[in-house]
Amino acid sequence: MCWFFLVPNLILGTKKKEKIIRNNTMSKNSLVSISDYSKEEILSILLSAADFEANPNRKTLDGKVIATLFFEPSTRTRLSFETAVIRLGGSIIGFSDAATSSSSKGETLNDTIHMVSCYADAIVMRHPLDGAARYASEISPVPIINAGDGSNQHPSQTLLDLYSILKTQGTLENLTICLVGDLKYGRTVHSLLMAMSHFNPTFKFIAPDELKMPEEYKVFCRKNGIKFTEIADLNESFNDADILYMTRVQKERFQDLMEYERVKNVYTLKNDMLTKSKPNLRILHPLPRVNEIDPDVDKNEKAYYFKQAQNGLYVRQAIMCKMLN
Ligand code: CP
């Protein structure tokens, strides 16, 4: 046995050392699901994000190393997390394509997380499997931030969605929110629905039969007293809405590509559909978009999706700072 393994035994005694090792095997600071944060914690992140929007360059992560492990493609989430870390004075390691990592040689997620946690102070991870982030958080000694796990959760997206809603509506309370498109596989709508349970929303779920909101989320709504209706037709259904949240049909989640072909262009929002909408309506979309929003809408003053993505930088700065103090 190496001498440096003996030293803690000599100083602490074996039992005390085991306790320290057990306490260090799992980080308590992870953000895996939006339900990991209380209402107060959510509001505190939004407040902190506003601070970062006013002054994004602060060296609070000086000397910290953050790993970004993206087993699935990303533009906004990865680049805004990396920008957030760089603006806070930290450094980035990681991969944007699992094919360039040793997972392509068969390394397990367990081993990857154990190795990367030897190098980094926190891990931002996107993975195709539902529950992968929760699993990683249970074995990792450093905090895990879920950057999207399958069709399950995308909590940092939700926090930037809430920040965007707050900025455009002046409140999060008592809003009417239309969730449109792929409500079955879209992780952003699942996280947003859960987060809004703190703020008495009224939801309209607008989706074709094949992409309806899964039963478990409707059960969640009923249990938490959240009002919702289900609608198949987009036209005029959002005239009383404050937020129109469009989503992409998630091609990568379909087992049967013929089914994807049938539903891929089910809704396309066009400028002339917005004429009877409320003046305060804002259109959000987690992006990337494919055909859900006609590019003509981009110039409409109600289009907010590019600004929404920019807000992600400030919110992710706030998340990193909360996580790493
Ligand atoms: N909204 C979002 O998750 O975008 P990316 O897939 O580009 O990260």
Side-chain angles (χ1 to χ4, degrees):
M1 185 183 279
C2 267
W3 63 269
F4 52 83
F5 282 122
L6 290 171
V7 173
N9 281 351
L10 294 173
I11 297 172
L12 299 169
T14 309
K15 280 210 173 110
K16 200 164 179 187
K17 189 195 77 170
E18 279 171 3
K19 190 163 175 239
I20 288 172
I21 289 171
R22 262 204 310 280
N23 287 344
N24 284 339
T25 49
M26 186 184 142
S27 169
K28 300 272 177 276
N29 269 342
S30 295
L31 174 58
V32 171
S33 161
I34 195 65
S35 56
D36 292 344
Y37 281 0
S38 65
K39 180 176 181 178
E40 289 66 35
E41 285 176 302
I42 289 173
L43 293 175
S44 140
I45 289 277
L46 305 189
L47 209 62
S48 169
D51 238 23
F52 281 115
E53 181 165 3
N55 179 13
N57 296 313
R58 276 182 257 166
K59 302 301 172 200
T60 48
L61 292 188
D62 198 20
K64 300 283 186 197
V65 176
I66 313 300
T68 54
L69 311 185
F70 277 68
F71 294 87
E72 270 194 340
S74 166
T75 296
R76 277 146 293 272
T77 310
R78 185 174 66 83
L79 296 181
S80 61
F81 262 119
E82 294 189 354
T83 308
V85 171
I86 291 164
R87 286 197 183 278
L88 293 171
S91 307
I92 289 286
I93 59 168
F95 52 82
S96 57
D97 178 359
T100 65
S101 81
S102 285
S103 65
S104 65
K105 302 177 204 162
E107 184 164 57
T108 62
L109 183 59
N110 175 75
D111 289 3
T112 303
I113 294 296
H114 272 121
M115 286 318 310
V116 176
S117 66
C118 297
Y119 312 139
D121 298 293
I123 297 172
V124 180
M125 184 180 86
R126 173 170 288 184
H127 199 281
L129 290 181
D130 292 28
R134 178 67 67 199
Y135 171 74
S137 76
E138 284 172 2
I139 57 168
S140 174
V142 301
I144 300 286
I145 303 175
N146 182 5
D149 62 324
S151 54
N152 186 32
Q153 285 274 312
H154 194 346
S156 68
Q157 175 72 44
T158 297
L159 289 163
L160 77 88
D161 292 344
L162 295 178
Y163 186 61
S164 301
I165 294 171
L166 184 60
K167 275 179 71 179
T168 59
Q169 305 299 317
T171 180
L172 292 170
E173 302 281 350
N174 307 316
L175 298 173
T176 298
I177 299 177
C178 291
L179 303 178
V180 183
D182 188 347
L183 308 187
K184 180 178 179 184
Y185 297 118
R187 55 197 173 200
T188 64
V189 291
H190 300 157
S191 294
L192 182 59
L193 180 156
M194 292 170 79
M196 286 306 297
S197 66
H198 298 298
F199 305 107
N200 190 37
T202 300
F203 279 116
K204 290 187 177 182
F205 299 150
I206 304 172
D209 268 358
E210 298 88 336
L211 300 175
K212 281 171 81 169
M213 184 64 80
E215 197 53 35
E216 68 197 89
Y217 294 103
K218 289 189 260 179
V219 169
F220 177 89
C221 286
R222 289 185 198 106
K223 272 193 183 154
N224 288 278
I226 299 174
K227 301 171 282 299
F228 70 89
T229 49
E230 294 188 279
I231 302 166
D233 186 16
L234 178 62
N235 281 303
E236 307 229 341
S237 60
F238 55 85
N239 286 350
D240 61 347
D242 303 300
I243 293 292
L244 180 58
Y245 194 99
M246 303 295 294
T247 64
R248 174 178 69 89
V249 178
Q250 308 275 302
K251 181 180 182 184
E252 62 276 29
R253 310 272 175 244
F254 280 74
Q255 307 279 340
D256 176 2
L257 278 184
M258 291 298 285
E259 193 180 327
Y260 168 74
E261 289 298 323
R262 272 197 302 278
V263 294
K264 68 177 184 186
N265 293 326
V266 61
Y267 304 125
T268 302
L269 183 68
K270 301 205 162 104
N271 248 332
D272 59 7
M273 296 161 75
L274 290 160
T275 49
K276 291 187 192 159
S277 62
K278 286 169 65 175
N280 66 305
L281 177 86
R282 288 297 174 272
I283 305 156
L284 303 187
H285 190 312
L287 304 177
R289 72 170 149 187
V290 186
N291 290 320
E292 312 80 62
I293 303 178
D294 190 293
D296 277 356
V297 178
D298 297 357
K299 296 185 210 82
N300 194 306
E301 63 179 10
K302 295 177 179 175
Y304 195 75
Y305 29 91
F306 293 122
K307 190 80 181 97
Q308 175 191 2
Q310 185 185 339
N311 289 337
L313 169 61
Y314 316 124
V315 167
R316 288 174 172 131
Q317 285 185 294
I319 294 169
M320 296 307 312
C321 280
K322 172 178 165 55
M323 198 152 279
L324 293 169
N325 297 321

